[in-house]
Amino acid sequence: IAAVSCERTIVLFGSGSSGMRVAHHLRQLGKTDFIFTDNNSALWETRFCDVPVISPQDINANSFIIITF
């Protein structure tokens, strides 16, 4: 994760307890430019751990996706 290019958006797939842990570790590594996605449409356009949650259909093709569950 530490070696992910700054040009790629990090997307955490899963807005649950595992996603929360991964977000915490990313922040410890100094990574703050990441977003969440989730299959639960009720979470889209909200924030989780103070990070935006988007629809999976909105993921950029150049994104670095981490599956958190």
Side-chain angles (χ1 to χ4, degrees), residues 1-37:
I1 294 173
V4 174
S5 169
C6 295
E7 298 170 7
R8 297 180 74 185
T9 301
I10 297 173
V11 178
L12 305 183
F13 200 116
S15 301
S17 59
S18 295
M20 188 181 305
R21 285 191 298 275
V22 174
H24 175 75
H25 290 295
L26 285 172
R27 287 180 174 133
Q28 286 184 323
L29 292 170
K31 301 281 187 184
T32 58
D33 188 22
F34 58 91
I35 56 176
F36 280 98
T37 190

Side-chain angles (χ1 to χ4, degrees), residues 37-59:
T37 190
D38 201 285
N39 288 326
N40 183 348
S41 60
L43 298 175
W44 302 346
E45 306 296 324
T46 66
R47 296 182 78 80
F48 181 72
C49 297
D50 203 32
V51 175
V53 181
I54 65 168
S55 163
Q57 290 84 5
D58 294 335
I59 296 172

